Amino acid sequence: MASVHESLYFNPMLTNGVVHANVFGVRDWVTPHKMALLVLLSELGRTGAQLGLLERRRLNRLLLPLLQGPDMALSRLRKAIEECCPQLASSVHIRLKLMAEGELKDMEQFFDDLSDSFSGTEPEVHKTSVVGLFLRHMILAYNKLSFSQVYKLYTALQQYFQKDEKKDGVDENEMELTNPEELDGKMEKEELDGPLREEEIACSGPLSQKQAEYFLSQQASLLKNDETKALAPASLQKELNNLLKFNPDFAEAHYLSYLNSLRVQDVFSSTHSLLHYFDRLILTGAESKSNGDEGYGRSLRYAALNLAALHCRFGHYQQAELALQEAIRIAQESNDHICLQHCLSWLYILEQKILDSCVLLEHSVNKSLHFGLPQRAFAGKAANKLMDALKDSDLLHWKHSLSELIDISIAQKTAIWRLYGRSTMALQQAQTLLSMNSLEAVNVGVQQNNTESFAVVLCHLAELHAEQGYFAAASEILKHLKERFPPNGQHAQLWMLFDQKIQFERAMNDGRYHIADSLVAGITALNSIEGVYRKAIVLKAQNQMSEAHKLLQKLLIHCQKIKNTEMVIRVLLSIAELYWRSSCHTIALPVLLQALALAREYSLQYLASETVLNLAFSQLILGIPEQALNILHMAIEPVLAHGAVLDKGCAMFLVAKCQVASAASYTPQKKIEALESAILNLNEAKTYFAKVDCKEQLRDVLYFQARLFHTLGKTQERNKCAMLFRQLHQELPAHGVPLINAFK
């Protein structure tokens, strides 16, 4: 096939019964399918006045995808027309039959009559309309064909019609041999098949330039907005390879191939396609035409920038840095401040793991405001400064109606509020994004906001529900994520990680450590740091203290090196718990104070509150419960307001322990009041633990309650708690750890 860009000379060719004509800017050729469309338009113009308003609306909605889309079988075209207007479908079929079973002169006369559509004072079709342009293109392409090519086109039309007739004959025979119920089932199944799937796109011949451009834009839009409706990665790559086989210089096809390779995390193919895209962009001169002589340099520097982003996406940070340096050098030579600003943003991303990049962040946001570029803000600064940076970016996003960047900003705020421990604010931001209407126009039936931001927000929403004990709701959200972002999609790793983490927490709460251990491998494959941390948690629960301590120490050094502050604090809290279980209570205090200092420095309020609870527990086991009660009042409010249900239960359990320990020095009457207050707090803790099915903690609470009821002389309540304790104790294994030596 001739290149779709080769429009400066006449190069007709026949491929699989399809005649191509590329003449002086004519980028379409005549095919049997397009002749069927011409018949449809002719019949519509002749009988259009007799059609009802509803039928005309349906036909008008059908015409545009038919004119722009790839060729399809006649049976499918007839079915589409019948759904809009059965009478018109019958007329089109009869007209095509007369032409296919007649003589060559009938087809010649048909094309001669098409020109009459533009004649008269009130023509049936305007020359500049979509339909008018299509008719003119087809007439011009047909008039440029030689006699032999006209004959081949006529032969192709006969084959096109006869193939449909044979299919109808087979269908009629099947109807005679098939039960009516089975036939209805087949028809329903066919009706459920969506348009433009693999079998329709793989047409009898290569696509014209317009069809190719429509196909590429449609698939690119679906990859962005609703990946589930796009072709499968293998099928899409097959079609792209077919396009590139006939036209290797089709730059847009190379770019869609790059996007398709990213879906399956194919490093080699995505890099190959991206480089070919910019090479073809320069070779075809598309950039120089729109940007003057400077267009070539622009392609080179943005090629380097995109290559840096690609390497960064796959974690190849050294290669990304080299590509970024090249982009910066070319941008500086061209004095391209906008490209330099993008480079500055990626430079911050690359260096934030090894350097303190606060200066880069401030400079990035300031330069964004100067050059009118919306900019993403990242964590690592004080809360007020970070929110100010996001606010400045949001002003630009909303000012220019940049829908995608608005979504990214809201998703970032959701993650940041969760990092700061404000689950209510995180939930509010998540609901804001989910209830927003996209500012971009999308086709009917295409899901909006089907982007990475949407996936991030839904994942946080699922985890928030799981933390509050709403596991059924979390499962529904994850099910929706799996349908919206299929496993082979580029954003599937997000919900896979959250799904594994939720399953891990449920297994740990239920005391099924062998199941939790089996989930560690999956978590590690998706996030190595989370995987190592979860492995240490399992070892700690199984009383393998030495192995857990070694693992946590290695993880602590690594997280400190890459400045993962949140994980550093969590590791320090786990190490402190190991010291408690080993009866090294005094050694745990400096570790907890270090964690508290970090949490307050980075404004991580929830982690700070959790650290204070651990300090209160340390004071309890060191024999100063009164002091522990005093500092508990500082930390328990944020936990009860924003914490997970398990943390709320642990906090109330700790309050009850401190109340009982403090009551030892009280007068008898005051002691009874303190113990009754502790029982009420234990009831609240029991409610929280039951909500997340945390059987081990429930067993401990029941044991503690039974002892308190025994002290107060309440035999009936004591026996009830003792019976429930015995049931759980027989179900769960006992690890021989004293009750007082565990905060969680």
Side-chain angles (χ1 to χ4, degrees):
M1 170 186 169
S3 169
V4 293
H5 289 296
E6 294 172 358
S7 58
L8 298 180
Y9 57 90
F10 175 62
N11 188 2
M13 181 179 287
L14 178 71
T15 304
N16 295 330
V18 181
V19 179
H20 313 280
N22 223 355
V23 189
F24 298 103
V26 178
R27 298 182 294 179
D28 269 331
W29 46 77
V30 186
T31 66
H33 167 73
K34 290 177 182 176
M35 288 186 63
L37 294 182
L38 292 174
V39 172
L40 171 62
L41 294 173
S42 176
E43 290 295 319
L44 185 60
R46 189 167 58 85
T47 63
Q50 304 172 8
L51 299 177
L53 180 61
L54 184 60
E55 291 176 332
R56 289 190 64 86
R57 285 181 177 175
R58 290 174 179 172
L59 286 168
N60 289 336
R61 290 182 59 184
L62 176 67
L63 277 178
L64 187 60
L66 288 179
L67 296 179
Q68 293 181 330
D71 292 3
M72 63 175 66
L74 181 56
S75 58
R76 184 170 180 83
L77 178 61
R78 283 173 50 196
K79 182 180 176 182
I81 302 172
E82 284 175 357
E83 292 175 354
C84 301
C85 180
Q87 180 182 357
L88 186 63
S90 177
S91 300
V92 171
H93 180 72
I94 294 172
R95 187 83 175 272
L96 278 174
K97 183 177 182 180
L98 292 174
M99 193 185 306
E101 295 180 354
E103 298 179 357
L104 183 59
K105 64 179 181 179
D106 296 326
M107 188 177 73
E108 288 278 358
Q109 185 62 41
F110 170 72
F111 276 95
D112 291 339
D113 294 341
L114 283 179
S115 302
D116 296 338
S117 303
F118 304 108
S119 61
T121 55
E122 294 184 2
E124 297 176 1
V125 180
H126 292 283
K127 290 185 177 181
T128 56
S129 66
V130 175
V131 174
L133 289 173
F134 176 76
L135 289 175
R136 291 163 64 193
H137 283 167
M138 290 297 100
I139 293 171
L140 179 61
Y142 180 80
N143 290 336
K144 294 296 181 180
L145 295 177
S146 63
F147 178 78
S148 61
Q149 291 166 350
V150 171
Y151 178 74
K152 289 178 181 179
L153 175 62
Y154 179 68
T155 305
L157 176 64
Q158 289 178 322
Q159 295 172 356
Y160 182 69
F161 183 79
Q162 290 169 3
K163 185 178 180 181
D164 179 63
E165 289 289 304
K166 290 179 182 178
K167 185 175 181 181
D168 286 345
V170 173
D171 291 343
E172 289 177 1
N173 293 333
E174 288 181 353
M175 288 175 65
E176 295 176 359
L177 300 173
T178 307
N179 294 329
E181 295 180 357
E182 295 178 359
L183 181 62
D184 292 341
K186 287 184 179 180
M187 292 178 67
E188 290 175 1
K189 183 178 179 182
E190 288 180 359
E191 289 173 359
L192 292 175
D193 292 337
L196 298 183
R197 305 307 295 176
E198 288 90 339
E199 64 272 12
E200 285 80 24
I201 290 178
C203 53
S204 58
L207 302 177
S208 68
Q209 180 173 346
K210 281 193 173 183
Q211 288 177 325
E213 289 173 351
Y214 176 73
F215 170 70
L216 295 178
S217 63
Q218 182 193 52
Q219 292 298 314
S221 176
L222 289 173
L223 287 181
K224 177 184 177 183
N225 296 306
D226 197 353
E227 190 176 331
T228 56
K229 286 186 170 60
L231 293 179
S235 301
L236 179 55
Q237 194 60 47
K238 180 180 178 181
E239 296 302 326
L240 292 173
N241 291 340
N242 187 45
L243 280 174
L244 294 171
K245 174 184 175 182
F246 294 105
N247 183 19
D249 295 335
F250 203 170
E252 291 79 2
H254 284 290
Y255 192 78
L256 187 59
S257 176
Y258 156 69
L259 296 178
N260 191 45
S261 300
L262 286 181
R263 296 167 70 189
V264 293
Q265 306 295 314
D266 188 342
V267 183
F268 174 79
S269 297
S270 56
T271 307
H272 177 81
S273 298
L274 181 64
L275 294 176
H276 273 286
Y277 166 69
F278 282 101
D279 288 345
R280 271 36 182 203
L281 204 64
I282 294 173
L283 288 174
T284 56
E287 280 292 284
S288 61
K289 291 176 183 177
S290 59
N291 297 284
D293 295 336
E294 211 270 328
Y296 299 106
R298 186 176 187 276
S299 291
L300 290 174
R301 57 182 175 269
Y302 277 100
L305 180 61
N306 277 273
L307 188 60
L310 176 65
H311 283 305
C312 189
R313 180 190 183 99
F314 287 108
H316 308 153
Y317 299 115
Q318 292 182 349
Q319 293 91 330
E321 188 175 3
L322 292 174
L324 194 58
Q325 289 175 358
E326 179 70 11
I328 292 173
R329 182 185 64 78
I330 302 174
Q332 286 175 337
E333 291 177 355
S334 305
N335 200 26
D336 187 345
H337 297 288
I338 294 178
C339 184
L340 284 172
Q341 171 56 25
H342 286 301
C343 293
L344 180 62
S345 304
W346 282 105
L347 188 63
Y348 167 73
I349 296 173
L350 288 174
E351 295 186 354
Q352 65 176 336
K353 297 186 177 182
I354 54 176
L355 298 172
D356 185 5
S357 303
C358 291
V359 176
L360 279 175
L361 178 62
E362 291 175 358
H363 185 58
S364 177
V365 173
N366 291 335
K367 296 293 283 184
S368 297
L369 294 173
H370 178 69
F371 293 111
L373 284 178
Q375 195 51 254
R376 298 173 64 181
F378 298 88
K381 297 185 67 176
N384 57 340
K385 292 185 178 180
L386 180 55
M387 289 302 169
D388 284 342
L390 285 171
K391 181 193 69 175
D392 294 337
S393 296
D394 286 344
L395 290 175
L396 290 170
H397 300 164
W398 287 104
K399 179 180 178 181
H400 299 287
S401 299
L402 301 173
S403 176
E404 187 173 355
L405 293 178
I406 291 171
D407 295 348
I408 290 173
S409 178
I410 296 175
Q412 285 176 344
K413 289 177 184 176
T414 303
I416 290 169
W417 282 123
R418 288 214 65 204
L419 181 65
Y420 290 156
R422 301 296 183 91
S423 61
T424 306
M425 294 299 298
L427 186 62
Q428 182 188 47
Q429 291 293 328
Q431 294 291 353
T432 300
L433 180 57
L434 295 179
S435 60
M436 277 180 57
N437 291 323
S438 175
L439 299 178
E440 298 179 0
V442 294
N443 295 327
V444 178
V446 176
Q447 296 285 353
Q448 297 185 13
N449 291 331
N450 196 15
T451 57
E452 184 179 10
S453 304
F454 195 80
V456 168
V457 165
L458 278 176
C459 287
H460 282 298
L461 201 61
E463 194 170 38
L464 284 169
H465 280 79
E467 287 178 353
Q468 299 304 317
Y470 303 120
F471 295 113
S475 298
E476 286 296 321
I477 296 172
L478 287 170
K479 181 182 177 182
H480 178 73
L481 276 164
K482 293 173 184 178
E483 294 173 354
R484 182 71 65 85
F485 304 95
N488 60 354
Q490 54 183 325
H491 305 316
Q493 290 187 0
L494 293 170
W495 62 257
M496 287 180 180
L497 177 60
F498 278 81
D499 188 19
Q500 296 279 323
K501 287 165 66 176
I502 291 172
Q503 291 183 45
F504 178 88
E505 294 296 339
R506 293 195 70 178
M508 291 296 295
N509 293 345
D510 203 21
R512 297 177 294 173
Y513 303 135
H514 63 287
I515 296 179
D517 194 25
S518 66
L519 293 169
V520 168
I523 297 175
T524 306
L526 298 167
N527 189 319
S528 58
I529 294 177
E530 281 285 347
V532 174
Y533 176 70
R534 306 280 168 164
K535 180 64 176 178
I537 296 297
V538 173
L539 292 174
K540 181 180 65 175
Q542 294 173 339
N543 285 331
Q544 301 181 35
M545 303 301 176
S546 300
E547 292 82 355
H549 186 265
K550 291 177 183 177
L551 208 57
L552 288 171
Q553 286 292 346
K554 292 180 180 178
L555 182 59
L556 178 63
I557 294 172
H558 177 69
C559 291
Q560 287 174 336
K561 183 179 179 181
I562 65 173
K563 295 194 174 182
N564 188 342
T565 309
E566 181 188 11
M567 186 56 70
V568 167
I569 297 171
R570 295 192 182 280
V571 170
L572 289 173
L573 294 179
S574 297
I575 291 174
E577 186 176 346
L578 288 178
Y579 288 145
W580 297 332
R581 294 196 174 197
S582 303
S583 300
C584 303
H585 309 306
T586 54
I587 302 177
L589 282 175
V591 176
L592 291 173
L593 292 174
Q594 182 184 356
L596 182 61
L598 282 172
R600 288 179 173 173
E601 179 184 354
Y602 286 87
S603 305
L604 307 179
Q605 182 185 15
Y606 187 74
L607 285 176
S609 300
E610 191 173 341
T611 307
V612 172
L613 291 178
N614 282 271
L615 283 170
F617 180 75
S618 297
Q619 292 177 333
L620 171 64
I621 59 181
L622 288 174
I624 44 176
E626 296 83 0
Q627 185 64 28
L629 270 176
N630 290 334
I631 67 171
L632 268 176
H633 295 299
M634 299 165 44
I636 200 168
E637 184 177 344
V639 173
L640 294 178
H642 303 286
V645 170
L646 179 61
D647 292 341
K648 293 177 184 178
C650 293
M652 298 309 298
F653 195 13
L654 179 59
V655 170
K657 290 178 184 178
C658 292
Q659 287 175 328
V660 173
S662 301
S665 59
Y666 293 171
T667 61
Q669 182 60 33
K670 193 175 180 182
K671 181 177 181 180
I672 292 174
E673 294 176 358
L675 294 182
E676 289 178 346
S677 177
I679 289 174
L680 293 176
N681 289 329
L682 287 172
N683 284 332
E684 187 175 351
K686 188 166 60 175
T687 303
Y688 289 135
F689 291 140
K691 200 169 185 179
V692 291
D693 198 25
C694 191
K695 296 179 180 179
E696 283 199 352
Q697 298 284 5
L698 274 173
R699 179 181 62 179
D700 295 343
V701 170
L702 289 169
Y703 172 80
F704 212 64
Q705 274 190 319
R707 295 291 300 269
L708 293 180
F709 282 130
H710 179 75
T711 303
L712 294 173
K714 298 182 178 181
T715 308
Q716 185 176 357
E717 290 83 352
R718 179 202 65 188
N719 291 342
K720 181 180 178 181
C721 291
M723 180 190 68
L724 295 173
F725 167 79
R726 181 176 178 81
Q727 291 175 354
L728 287 174
H729 190 64
Q730 289 176 344
E731 182 180 348
L732 297 173
H735 299 297
V737 180
L739 179 66
I740 198 68
N741 279 0
F743 166 56
K744 282 192 177 181

